[in-house]
Amino acid sequence: MNANPVTWESGTLTIIDQTLLPAELKYITLDTLDMVWSAIKQLQVRGAPAIGVCAAFGVLVGLKERHPATLKAARHALGIVADHLATSRPTAVNLFWALDRMRSVSVAGDSDDAPSQFLAALEREAQAIYDEDRSVCKRLGAYGAPLITDGDGVLTHCNAGGLATSGYGTALSVMFCAHEKGRRFRVYADETRPLLQGARLTTWELQRAGIDVTLICDNMAAQVMREGKINLVIVGADRVAANGDAANKIGTYGVAVLAKAHTIPFYVAIPHSTLDCALPDGDAIPIEERDGAEVSHAFGRQCAPDGIAVYNPAFDVTPARLITGFITESGIVHPPFSDRLALLAGKQGNP
Ligand code: MRU
């Protein structure tokens, strides 16, 4: 049932075009570096871990296109291709983490040697990033599942599901696992303006899995909490700083404030690869600002006057003090976060 948003088979990179969901489940192949870059930029592939995985395979696409004749030329091309992919989106650290892993691949040999061994090693590394992400998401779900008990209402924001990873997801992996264990609960999915990842993707995934899911507009969360329908919030993240401040889809911070006001536990589900302990706190996390047309012309329909000024930050930062815990592939991390997250960051790529 789990969606497979990124696949690499016989040297071909295929993704689900997530901009078309839920109306159409369409797979497209990314044959050039420009196609990979634009698929990430346009959110055809999205979600922090999936962006990293797609970029790792995207490196292979870019290198193939360049036909490097020697090891030296291949190493040079790797740098150019990785640098270009790194400009696609700024917030999800998994993109830079995956590209750094690809850049660190090395093989012995003279610079004039044929690059075949190097290319094979790069392919193994991209595949390892993919495989690790799948198993990490499964483990993370198993650690988080006991948080959900029978009769719970669980709120989530954006899409941190199988579509946002190599499979299973982060926040949704917790729900898939609890569901497999027979737990009966209801998920409230925020629609997630402006691009509606919650309405289009999260409800699609949960409904396919047979999980009880109810869609709400973002501005309904307070009322739904006040009515006592929510016992737990679980979201994903794109980058978590050393102190535990967590960047996630715009609107997450507001949900965390509401959860605090209603004494509802607020959990962030992340693989270690989403940790960026080089940044002291959330103020240092780069926040992507996207085209105002996403707000004023949502899904091709004009919904604001011509010429209106629009501010469209795609992410916000939830301060660590509002976070009850991080659900990771090593277990659940509670405050104080700094030392514990630093330990996990050291385990990156080697969970
Ligand atoms: O802009 P998007 O759709 O890439 O944003 C995605 C999110 O904010 C997710 O919650 C986050 O990447 C975690 S995905 C496991």
Side-chain angles (χ1 to χ4, degrees):
M1 228 2 148
N2 238 286
N4 212 346
V6 183
T7 52
W8 175 260
E9 268 170 28
S10 313
T12 299
L13 177 56
T14 303
I15 62 163
I16 293 175
D17 182 348
Q18 298 189 36
T19 61
L20 302 177
L21 284 170
E24 191 181 353
L25 175 57
K26 183 175 176 186
Y27 292 85
I28 55 171
T29 60
L30 304 178
D31 301 319
T32 65
L33 181 64
D34 281 347
M35 287 177 81
V36 178
W37 189 93
S38 140
I40 295 173
K41 180 76 184 170
Q42 303 305 330
L43 274 58
Q44 289 173 298
V45 58
R46 36 109 353 244
I51 291 171
V53 168
C54 185
F57 289 125
V59 163
L60 303 174
V61 172
L63 282 177
K64 266 194 177 178
E65 232 184 329
R66 277 156 185 75
H67 300 294
T70 63
L71 183 54
K72 183 179 176 194
R75 284 185 180 133
H76 182 67
L78 169 64
I80 291 174
V81 166
D83 284 353
H84 184 53
L85 287 171
T87 63
S88 56
R89 294 190 76 189
T91 304
V93 74
N94 307 62
L95 170 66
F96 308 98
W97 170 85
L99 290 173
D100 283 349
R101 274 185 65 166
M102 296 300 282
R103 284 186 223 263
S104 344
V105 169
S106 66
V107 290
D110 289 334
S111 50
D112 289 338
D113 288 349
S116 48
Q117 283 190 5
F118 184 51
L119 297 178
L122 285 169
E123 186 163 0
R124 282 196 299 277
E125 186 65 8
Q127 190 62 49
I129 291 171
Y130 173 93
D131 292 340
E132 282 168 25
D133 186 54
R134 277 180 84 83
S135 74
V136 155
C137 285
K138 264 259 163 179
R139 287 214 298 282
L140 183 160
Y143 277 119
L147 294 171
I148 300 180
T149 52
D150 272 342
D152 271 354
V154 185
L155 185 130
T156 191
H157 190 77
C158 194
N159 172 265
L163 289 167
T165 63
S166 306
Y168 309 112
T170 57
L172 295 203
S173 179
V174 175
M175 300 170 202
F176 292 136
C177 188
H179 179 66
E180 276 163 23
K181 288 181 186 307
R183 224 81 25 90
R184 298 162 75 86
F185 56 97
R186 171 170 296 168
V187 179
Y188 287 87
D190 278 352
E191 63 174 351
T192 316
R193 278 281 283 147
L195 296 182
L196 305 182
Q197 289 93 331
R200 296 186 302 105
L201 309 176
T202 295
T203 58
W204 183 78
E205 284 196 51
L206 293 174
Q207 192 179 55
R208 272 164 54 106
I211 294 177
D212 180 351
V213 55
T214 298
L215 173 65
I216 58 170
C217 298
D218 298 337
N219 54 6
M220 295 171 186
Q223 178 63 16
V224 176
M225 288 183 183
R226 189 163 179 272
E227 289 172 9
K229 292 185 164 74
I230 308 294
N231 310 90
L232 178 65
V233 177
I234 313 178
V235 296
D238 285 75
R239 193 185 296 233
V240 175
N243 71 339
D245 289 353
N248 190 46
K249 178 53 54 195
I250 192 74
T252 305
Y253 175 27
V255 174
V257 171
L258 291 176
K260 189 66 145 189
H262 293 84
T263 357
I264 296 167
F266 181 94
Y267 284 90
V268 179
I270 51 157
H272 298 165
S273 55
T274 298
L275 291 169
D276 185 358
C277 290
L279 303 184
D281 57 42
D283 289 348
I285 298 178
I287 299 295
E288 177 181 13
E289 198 179 326
R290 293 185 64 86
D291 192 338
E294 290 179 353
V295 177
S296 62
H297 293 68
F299 284 86
R301 183 181 185 280
Q302 181 163 357
C303 41
D306 285 335
I308 195 72
V310 176
Y311 177 46
N312 184 18
F315 298 92
D316 59 26
V317 175
T318 299
R321 68 186 148 74
L322 299 179
I323 297 172
T324 309
F326 288 95
I327 307 167
T328 79
E329 66 267 38
S330 301
I332 300 183
V333 179
H334 289 106
F337 292 128
S338 298
D339 290 350
R340 294 168 188 174
L341 293 181
L343 273 177
L344 299 188
K347 288 187 183 176
Q348 279 191 13
N350 188 20

